[in-house]
Amino acid sequence: MQAKTPKKKPLQGIAVSVILFLAVITMVFVLINNFYIDWLWFGELGYRQVFFTELVTKLKLASPLFVIFAIACCISFKVLAKLFFSNSRIVKTPSKLTKAMPYLLGILAALVLSISVAGRLWQEWLFFSNSVDFGVVDPVFGKDISFFVFKLPFYNSLLSMGIAGLFFVALISIAVTLYTKTSKLVVEKKHGDDVDYKPALEAVWDAVRIQVSLFAVGFFLLLAVYYYLNRFKIVSSPGNLIYGAGYTDVNVLKPFYLVRIGFCFIAAGCLMVFGRKKNIKPLAITLAAFIIANMAGSLVLWGYETYIVAPNQFSRESDYISFHLEYTKKAYGIDDVQAIFFDVDYSLTAEDIEANKVTINNIPINDYRPTQDTYNSLQAIRPYYYFNDIDVDRYMLNGEYIQVFLSPREMETRRLASTAQNWINTQLKYTHGFGVAVSPVNQVTATGQPALISRDIPTVTAYPALAVEQPRIYFGEITHNYVVVNTKAKEFDYPSGSDNVENVYSGRAGIQLSLLNKFAFSIKYGTAKMFLSTDVTNESKILINRDVVTRVKKIAPFFLYDEDPYIVIADNNLYWIMDGLTTTNKYPYSQPYDSYGNNYLRNSVKVVVDAYNGDVSFYLAEEDDAIAKAYEGIFPNLFKPMSQMPESIKSHMRYSEALFDVQAKMYGSHHMKNPGVFYNKEDTWQVATQLFQGSTDPVEVNASYIIMKLPDKSEEEFLLMIPYTLLGKDNMVSWLAGMCDGDNYGELVVYQFSKQSVVYGPMQIEKRIDQDTVIAPQLNLLAQQGATILRGNMQTIPINNSVLYVEPIYIQATSSERNIPEVKKVIISYADKIVMADTLTQALESIFGKVAAATPETPPGEKPGGEVATPSNQLALEAQKLYNEAQNALKNGDWALYGQRMSQLEAVLQQLVDTSSPMPLESTEQGQEQEQGQDQDQVQEQVQEQVQEQEQVQEQEQEEAPARIQLETIPTDLPENEG
């Protein structure tokens, strides 16, 4: 007797069903979670239309394709199934499911094919349907460039899809036919039937012969289309001499494509006629003739190029060289460079220097590399602050047009102590950076470090143009993590003494953390802390994609970007500006600039990102760029016209350095108008070289932003410039400038020197420095005193009809890795004179005699050198603070920090002495002046005595505790009693 199987309890079945249902729902949600979050994020920024464009376009393409593919696949599979069942002994009576299988497989195949084709074609289709004429016609086919950039790629994609589909259907059809025929033979053999293989194989061939012929006909017809479209590629093909079609391509290859097309039609016709016959010879002859014709054509091409063109290459290729020069210039926007003759006469006087004082006052004697080190050493304030990059810009400061370095003080939570890197600190507490540091490019302190005119937290500056009402940086270059704001726990704002100031975010950015959104983001970031934390409420918001580059590229990934955004102060707020570039590899006759074959480049998009609110605005900067205009048609809500950009931001637009570098190289080799000069490479320019930093090998001079008055202009402008030398030579032949200001923005000007005179290039000046009997020994002596000599970027400064070369010399002590390079000398070369002095003014006076100060007058509220003046009482408090910190470092055995604080203390005490000193008196008050001088001497002696005493204490501590263990670094913002 069998035991009865116990029945499942109803509740147990319900529980299983609920669990399965929840599991399915969770799986589906995980799959669509990223889509949902992107939908939220694009909606927050107002770019949901951009987000849906790709999806909608794919659906529009896939829907009709699915219908077409479904009909074709279902009919094909039904015919194959009928053939299979009628010739097979395996399946006698097919079931309903078996009968429905061809339709199910057809629908599935159509779905896969339509999704695949739509995913491949959607971009080409959008360009095709939104194409914009370039207004330039190619010289071989007479078609607008838009045909090659927008239409031809779409035609080629359709063709490749057609060929792939033909092979796919042919493979399945022939495989099924062969299977059914051979399986029938196997079954007959298995049942002991006598099988005559010769007629059996003939029957197999008869079954596939017609299919092979039909598919071969289709293949040759598609191949004819391929050859027709491939004709147009000759204008974008690389060659030994030029890029684009040459004499052989136009006169032999282009007609030969028509011959190939004719052979394809002949082959298709032969296959149609002979394909039904059992004789295979005509088919073999047709295919052999096609192959032989192609081989013969290739041989003719080689022979024509070798024996007809090569011996008379220039005369044959002259017109095509002209095409290459013309269209390469058009592709890179260097076809309308204004060329100006620059006759060097070296007749500058002290009066000329005074007349060009704005240019002189903005000659950079700082470099961004040591400036970044200085900022991080003196202005980082706390370990978690970091200056990631140094940007260069220009500002009107108290009526003076001043070029400056500036950098935002960003929050880098990875620099927190490892024990402090928890979710609360990294996501809720340390959420933003604070303020910017600014220093003029031409001013240094007495120690050779950049002179800060905007510094500290909160920011201290004497210039209204540099004042920032909202200095908090929630979106920057290193803000890679998400943060949650508007929580119950206030955010850390900035340190103030032993306490921390807190803040609550009041900006527009962020996605509201509703219950559903908490669930979505918890899945995305793999944490349940958003649910568990009592600090996170429904009013809290999450800020994601805070890195400026990631933020911009996620919205519009189809542009190239100069991935070094720069910070600007506009309307007393902080904004990032980023350059977007359009490119293609299909521009006829244009020389590629990279390994991907891209041969067209425009800086048509300017992107502005609010550092506090995260708003992103795309501005269409070049109306003549057909690619950008096509994108405007594809994404009608993406761009704003340049007229809507605030003037305060527009005044800080710069010529794109990424574009300028490419243009400079292309112009150096394609500036020639005469094809013969280009053919002989006799006037090819290259970017000048120099000795840079500590390198002994020549490196290219960096393109430099600089404020100067051009020789043919009446006012100073902010521009980007680079010098050229002749290929293989060091003498300078010209220099290229890209304008950045006002109506001149985007213009390119090249100043060419006379070919009958020799103008020194930067590398020749470097050699003169090394050979100078006065300068070279001094540099060698400095290098022998425990220091490294670093050469800055050499500036080539045209003034009137002369050229001035300026190179700063940095000295970096080798005793520690943390030593900062400091500007100690400035070298100036002019005509046959070359001098080295402590300052730019001294160097200029050595050459031209007494000139006005080469630095701007000190504005109210500042000291010479550019540092903001500090009241005596504040200096005293600062001195007390540094002294206490030095004592704490001494107790903890942190000798490096102790030495740093003592050096800073000495500087503050000296500043206190300078601040308290009265102005010089007249000669009738010499007694008081002498007394004041004695008081200053006494103060300085006291400072020196105090420093000596501290050094003695340090030495004593080292002797008493030689094995002192270095304590692990702890956050400096913790209260002192929290050891």
Side-chain angles (χ1 to χ4, degrees), residues 47 605-610 615-619 638 640 645:
Y47 290 110
V605 180
K606 296 290 184 179
V607 190
V608 178
V609 182
D610 190 318
D615 299 329
V616 182
S617 298
F618 292 81
Y619 294 93
L638 177 62
K640 297 178 181 178
M645 179 183 284

Side-chain angles (χ1 to χ4, degrees), residues 890-895 957 961-966:
L890 186 64
K891 293 177 182 178
N892 295 329
D894 191 343
W895 307 112
E957 289 284 342
R964 182 185 299 272
I965 300 175
Q966 290 288 338

Side-chain angles (χ1 to χ4, degrees), residues 662-923:
V662 173
Q663 287 178 321
K665 290 190 176 182
M666 284 298 165
Y667 191 75
S669 57
H670 291 82
H671 66 92
M672 295 158 278
K673 297 179 181 179
N674 189 314
V677 176
F678 178 84
Y679 179 78
N680 294 319
K681 308 295 183 185
E682 62 184 76
D683 194 26
T684 302
W685 301 344
Q686 64 183 9
V687 175
T689 58
Q690 63 175 346
L691 297 180
F692 188 66
Q693 298 290 303
S695 175
T696 57
D697 296 323
V699 298
E700 286 188 352
V701 174
N702 294 325
S704 301
Y705 290 102
I706 190 169
I707 292 176
M708 70 164 59
K709 182 168 66 176
L710 296 176
D712 58 325
K713 302 289 184 179
S714 59
E715 294 183 355
E716 290 76 16
E717 296 182 73
F718 186 65
L719 54 87
L720 184 61
M721 67 169 295
I722 200 164
Y724 286 116
T725 60
L726 200 63
L727 182 64
K729 302 291 183 180
D730 287 332
N731 57 293
M732 194 161 64
V733 293
S734 62
W735 55 278
L736 182 69
M739 304 294 106
C740 299
D741 284 346
D743 295 336
N744 294 331
Y745 175 84
E747 293 182 2
L748 288 173
V749 182
V750 63
Y751 291 85
Q752 296 180 240
F753 303 127
S754 172
K755 294 183 179 180
Q756 282 70 44
S757 61
V758 176
V759 179
Y760 287 127
M763 194 61 205
Q764 291 174 317
I765 301 299
E766 299 282 15
K767 293 176 181 178
R768 290 183 61 197
I769 292 173
D770 290 338
Q771 297 169 1
D772 190 273
T773 57
V774 177
I775 297 176
Q778 294 185 50
L779 294 178
N780 292 332
L781 182 62
L782 290 171
Q784 294 173 3
Q785 297 178 351
T788 300
I789 304 300
L790 303 176
R791 298 189 182 190
N793 193 39
M794 181 172 289
Q795 301 293 325
T796 305
I797 314 295
I799 299 179
N800 294 353
N801 284 336
S802 299
V803 180
L804 199 66
Y805 304 88
V806 180
E807 181 175 74
I809 299 297
Y810 297 85
I811 297 180
Q812 184 177 27
T814 57
S815 58
S816 173
E817 295 181 358
R818 296 183 180 180
N819 289 326
I820 302 172
E822 296 175 342
V823 179
K824 294 299 184 182
K825 300 290 182 180
V826 177
I827 297 176
I828 290 183
S829 176
Y830 172 75
D832 59 346
K833 299 177 182 179
I834 183 168
V835 299
M836 183 172 71
D838 293 336
T839 66
L840 180 64
T841 301
Q842 292 175 2
L844 288 170
E845 290 179 351
S846 297
I847 296 177
F848 301 104
K850 187 67 176 178
V851 297
T855 56
E857 294 182 3
T858 305
E862 292 196 9
K863 303 181 305 175
E867 292 187 4
V868 181
T870 309
S872 299
N873 57 348
Q874 185 175 345
L875 288 172
L877 293 173
E878 181 71 14
Q880 182 64 42
K881 175 186 174 184
L882 290 171
Y883 178 78
N884 293 335
E885 291 179 356
Q887 292 301 311
N888 290 333
L890 186 64
K891 293 177 182 178
N892 295 329
D894 191 343
W895 307 112
L897 180 60
Y898 171 79
Q900 183 180 0
R901 293 294 181 263
M902 289 305 298
S903 298
Q904 294 174 350
L905 174 61
E906 184 177 2
V908 171
L909 289 174
Q910 181 61 50
Q911 190 176 356
L912 182 60
V913 171
D914 295 340
T915 304
S916 60
S917 300
M919 296 297 293
L921 303 179
E922 299 294 336
S923 57

Side-chain angles (χ1 to χ4, degrees), residues 537-552:
T537 68
N538 291 335
E539 299 300 320
S540 300
K541 295 191 294 184
I542 184 170
L543 277 57
I544 63 174
N545 299 323
R546 298 193 302 135
D547 169 38
V548 173
V549 175
T550 301
R551 194 173 186 83
V552 171

Side-chain angles (χ1 to χ4, degrees), residues 112-234:
V112 173
L113 287 173
S114 61
I115 293 175
S116 175
V117 172
R120 171 74 182 275
L121 290 181
W122 75 275
Q123 287 181 308
E124 285 90 346
W125 165 250
L126 286 175
F127 269 135
F128 178 83
S129 58
N130 292 275
S131 63
V132 177
D133 285 347
F134 280 72
V136 179
V137 176
D138 89 280
V140 176
F141 297 99
K143 291 184 176 293
D144 189 90
I145 306 299
S146 61
F147 171 79
F148 302 93
V149 175
F150 300 130
K151 297 177 181 179
L152 190 59
F154 179 69
Y155 295 146
N156 283 320
S157 294
L158 282 179
L159 177 63
S160 61
M161 292 292 178
I163 294 175
L166 179 68
F167 273 102
F168 175 75
V169 175
L171 182 63
I172 293 178
S173 176
I174 295 173
V176 170
T177 303
L178 290 174
Y179 173 76
T180 56
K181 290 296 184 181
T182 54
S183 64
K184 183 178 180 181
L185 294 175
V186 172
V187 172
E188 290 176 351
K189 183 67 177 177
K190 186 177 181 181
H191 287 79
D193 297 339
D194 293 331
V195 179
D196 189 352
Y197 284 100
K198 185 175 181 180
L201 292 176
E202 290 179 353
V204 171
W205 167 243
D206 286 340
V208 299
R209 175 171 45 83
I210 295 177
Q211 295 181 48
V212 170
S213 299
L214 290 175
F215 287 126
V217 168
F219 169 74
F220 276 107
L221 291 177
L222 289 175
L223 189 61
V225 177
Y226 167 79
Y227 283 138
Y228 175 77
L229 295 178
N230 222 41
R231 294 167 61 242
F232 299 107
K233 293 184 179 180
I234 63 173

